[in-house]
């Protein structure tokens, strides 16, 4: 009985010491935190692009995409090919699809390009002389990317023929 | 001595032919191309197909489309591949006459056309393939010829890039479909595209929704869905090809629409010139005649517009042709084709 009582007293004392120690330690830490406020990282003024720079880069991108649009293969291009060359998908058409893929990839990696890219896709789908397969591809990607990128573009006003829209659905 | 000499020549030719996965590659196929085909077939056979495509399964009439199933489907339609420069002399085995085959386009299915001629002329026809006489008793004998477009490395990419592998395989599926059909649907021939189509007047369209372009497109779509190695740019390039193929499948109403719209265009031009003449005419009798004619033309135009509107609102669907093959042929079971492929892969 005495030994048991001694054990209880020793354990209680130990518990008290441990509790007191941890309380003291936490007070020190909070004092330390209060004493040395965290250094806030802030961007320097030079890092923020100016409004002028933003507009300039948008113009550059718009020009670049307009050029890409003009370089897409056209129905006139197909008329210069032989029957043998068109029996399966002509290389210029496949290359056109790859180029659209490259533009999408760049927009995927750079958020600031997305608005202009959606505009490019819609213009591609509307372009009467661009090869229909590519127009349909552009339209498909417009519908797929708008909700993913959360970009606004009034597609209800897009002049994309019904058959192009229907064709575009067939890759899904 | 002559006998030994000719035996050596014959054996050389026979040895030059290669077989892989049940398909025999004629000595005229360039070695690099044979290796590419082998790689393509191995890819098809060994790939995993986790994502399904019900439309494709329905089209090729397969409950499942794993690698061995796809290979079996092809093998039941393609048995021989000859090179681009293979001499297209056709032998008539009975009377030994030779004649040229008029085959156009890139990769071609020779057996469809050969069989049709043989049937129409009522005489057996065949080809000498490296010393083997192959009699074409059905398009399912399956002789394809490599075309110049097949091994163009599109986008300057590697021969073995996923893009080129899938592209070549889809062409094999397309050409294999030409081994099917009977009667009206024999060989699933292409038709000339209508005048307002982007391939106007070229034999690059089809009426049926189960023809070669649809088979090639849906096979490509199925393989793309299950392509884990395809880059984003390659995916878009392949999707473009799928859309290009499907854009060549016409509805029955498409031709009618083309003709109606063309007619309407000419009538409008005529009416416009009569209206000019009416405006300038001073003689009343002539004015009356012009006015009457303009009224009649207006009624015609209303008729055209009404027909165009009806067709556009409810286009007649494309046709589904009977794909059962014609002639004498023996189907190959899945077990047999799988054994052939496994043996070829193990021998590599």
């Amino acid at each position: 009985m005495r030994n048991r009582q001694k054990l209880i007293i020793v354990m209680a004392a130990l518990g008290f010491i441990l509790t007191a120690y941890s309380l003291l330690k936490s007070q020190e830490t909070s004092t330390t935190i209060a004493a040395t406020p965290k250094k806030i990282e802030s961007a320097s003024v030079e890092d923020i692009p100016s409004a002028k720079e933003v507009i300039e880069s948008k113009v550059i991108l718009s020009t670049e995409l307009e050029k890409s649009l003009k370089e897409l293969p056209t129905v006139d291009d197909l008329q210069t090919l032989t029957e043998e060359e068109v029996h399966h998908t002509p290389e210029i058409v496949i290359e056109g699809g790859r180029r659209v893929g490259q533009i999408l990839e760049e927009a995927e990696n750079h958020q600031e390009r997305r608005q202009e890219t959606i505009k490019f896709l819609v213009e591609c789908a509307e372009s009467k002389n661009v090869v229909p397969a590519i127009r349909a591809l552009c339209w498909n990607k417009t519908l797929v990317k708008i909700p993913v990128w959360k970009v606004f573009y009034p597609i209800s006003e897009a002049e994309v023929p019904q058959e192009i829209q229907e064709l575009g659905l067939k890759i899904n | 001595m002559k006998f030994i000499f000719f035996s050596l020549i014959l054996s050389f030719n026979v040895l030059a032919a290669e077989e892989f996965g049940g398909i025999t590659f004629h000595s005229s196929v360039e070695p690099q191309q044979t290796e590419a085909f082998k790689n393509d077939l191995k890819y098809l056979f060994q790939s995993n197909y986790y994502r399904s495509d019900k439309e494709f399964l329905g089209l090729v009439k397969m409950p499942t489309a794993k690698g061995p199933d796809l290979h079996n489907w092809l093998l039941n339609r393609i048995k021989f591949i000859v090179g681009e420069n293979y001499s297209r002399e056709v032998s008539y085995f009975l009377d030994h006459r030779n004649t040229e085959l008029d085959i156009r386009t890139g990769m071609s299915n020779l057996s469809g056309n050969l069989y049709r001629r043989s049937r129409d002329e009522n005489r057996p026809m065949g080809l000498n393939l490296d010393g083997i006489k192959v009699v074409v008793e059905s398009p399912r004998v399956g002789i394809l010829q490599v075309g110049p477009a097949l091994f163009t490395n599109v986008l300057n990419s590697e021969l073995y890039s996923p893009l080129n592998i899938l592209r070549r395989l889809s062409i094999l599926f397309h050409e294999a479909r030409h081994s099917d059909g009977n009667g009206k649907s024999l060989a699933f021939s292409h038709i000339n595209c209508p005048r307002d189509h982007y391939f106007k007047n070229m034999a690059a369209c089809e009426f049926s929704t189960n023809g070669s372009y649809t088979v090639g497109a849906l096979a490509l779509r199925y393989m793309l869905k299950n392509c884990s190695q395809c880059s984003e740019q390659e995916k878009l390039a392949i999707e473009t090809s799928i859309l290009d193929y499907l854009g060549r499948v016409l509805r029955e109403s498409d031709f009618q629409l083309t003709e109606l719209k063309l007619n309407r265009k000419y009538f409008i031009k005529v009416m416009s010139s009569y209206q000019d003449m009416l405006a300038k005419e001073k003689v009343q009798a002539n004015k009356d005649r012009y006015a009457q004619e303009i009224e009649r033309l207006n009624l015609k135009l209303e008729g055209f517009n009404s027909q165009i509107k009806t067709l556009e609102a409810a286009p007649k669907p494309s046709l589904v042709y009977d794909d059962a093959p014609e002639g004498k042929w023996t189907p190959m079971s899945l077990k047999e084709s799988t054994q052939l492929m496994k043996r070829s892969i193990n021998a590599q």
Side-chain angles (χ1 to χ4, degrees), chain A residues 52-166:
Chain A
K52 188 183 168 197
E53 280 167 347
V54 167
I55 291 167
E56 271 175 7
S57 67
K58 209 174 168 187
V59 167
I60 291 169
L61 175 59
S62 183
T63 309
E64 178 197 313
L65 292 176
E66 264 173 40
K67 184 168 174 277
S68 294
L69 187 62
K70 284 182 186 152
E71 287 171 354
L72 289 175
T74 63
V75 171
D76 295 335
D77 292 332
L78 295 181
Q79 295 302 315
T80 65
L81 302 176
T82 63
E83 204 164 279
E84 204 171 66
E85 286 170 313
V86 307
H87 189 67
H88 293 287
T89 308
E91 199 176 336
I92 53 165
V93 176
I94 296 181
E95 166 59 34
R98 185 209 65 80
R99 178 70 188 122
V100 173
Q102 190 179 29
I103 290 168
L104 288 182
E105 227 173 20
E106 282 159 12
E108 201 66 54
N109 297 330
H110 299 97
Q111 200 172 345
E112 66 279 8
R113 296 176 72 100
R114 292 175 184 177
Q115 184 73 43
E116 284 298 313
T117 299
I118 293 291
K119 181 170 171 263
F120 162 83
L121 289 173
V122 173
E123 286 174 355
C124 157
E126 288 178 321
S127 299
K128 288 182 181 148
N129 207 27
V130 167
V131 167
I134 293 189
R135 290 178 72 183
L137 182 79
C138 288
W139 184 246
N140 175 283
K141 296 307 165 192
T142 303
L143 298 179
V144 166
K145 291 298 180 187
I146 283 178
V148 171
W149 290 343
K150 297 190 179 4
V151 165
F152 175 78
Y153 197 91
I155 59 167
S156 60
E157 293 165 18
E159 289 174 6
V160 182
Q162 193 63 26
E163 58 264 24
I164 296 289
Q165 293 189 32
E166 284 171 6

Side-chain angles (χ1 to χ4, degrees), chain B residues 206-209 213-214 245-251 254 318:
Chain B
E206 60 195 20
F207 259 140
S208 58
T209 47
Y213 281 122
T214 308
Y245 283 153
L246 293 175
R248 301 165 188 234
V249 179
L250 306 172
R251 287 169 297 197
D254 285 348
S318 306

Side-chain angles (χ1 to χ4, degrees), chain A residues 78-79 81 83-84 86-89 91 93-95 97-98 101-102 105 132-133 137 141 167 170-171, chain B residues 104-106 148 152 155 174-175 190 198-199 202-203 213 221 232-233 236 239-241 243-245 248:
Chain A
L78 295 181
Q79 295 302 315
L81 302 176
E83 204 164 279
E84 204 171 66
V86 307
H87 189 67
H88 293 287
T89 308
E91 199 176 336
V93 176
I94 296 181
E95 166 59 34
R98 185 209 65 80
Q102 190 179 29
E105 227 173 20
L137 182 79
K141 296 307 165 192
L167 184 60
K170 292 183 181 179
I171 44 174
Chain B
R104 298 181 294 168
T105 80
T152 308
L155 310 184
H174 172 112
E175 295 302 333
H190 298 305
Y198 48 98
F199 290 130
M202 297 201 209
Y213 281 122
R221 190 175 76 185
E232 205 54 39
Q233 290 184 35
L236 272 283
E239 284 176 341
T240 306
S241 189
L243 291 170
D244 170 58
Y245 283 153
R248 301 165 188 234

